[in-house]
Amino acid sequence: MINLDRALTQASKNIGAVRVKVKLTNAIDEELVKRGLLNPNLLRVYEAEALLDTGAVRTAIPV
């Protein structure tokens, strides 16, 4: 016999926040680098850890 309460409790413990490392690049800077108009060292990039929502249909990036 399976104890369903215990099985649900165990499943809840396995659910957690999914975080991913993201790299945001300035698209205009990226195009200027491709055209040779901007030094690649001046390309503006931001790396951060983001919380992933598997049910989301839109992306939100705080200022």
Side-chain angles (χ1 to χ4, degrees), residues 5-19:
D5 289 331
R6 184 170 184 250
L8 289 173
T9 302
Q10 185 61 34
S12 296
K13 288 180 183 177
N14 293 333
I15 297 171
V18 178
R19 297 191 179 271

Side-chain angles (χ1 to χ4, degrees), residues 2-61:
I2 298 173
N3 183 342
L4 293 178
D5 289 331
R6 184 170 184 250
L8 289 173
T9 302
Q10 185 61 34
S12 296
K13 288 180 183 177
N14 293 333
I15 297 171
V18 178
R19 297 191 179 271
V20 294
K21 191 170 187 176
V22 295
K23 182 177 181 181
L24 305 173
T25 305
N26 184 292
I28 294 172
D29 288 358
E30 196 170 38
E31 186 59 33
L32 291 173
V33 169
K34 286 180 187 177
R35 294 180 183 190
L37 300 173
L38 182 68
N39 184 331
N41 294 331
L42 298 176
L43 179 67
R44 291 176 284 180
V45 177
Y46 180 75
E47 292 186 20
E49 188 175 274
L51 178 62
L52 181 68
D53 180 357
T54 57
V57 294
R58 293 196 173 116
T59 301
I61 301 172

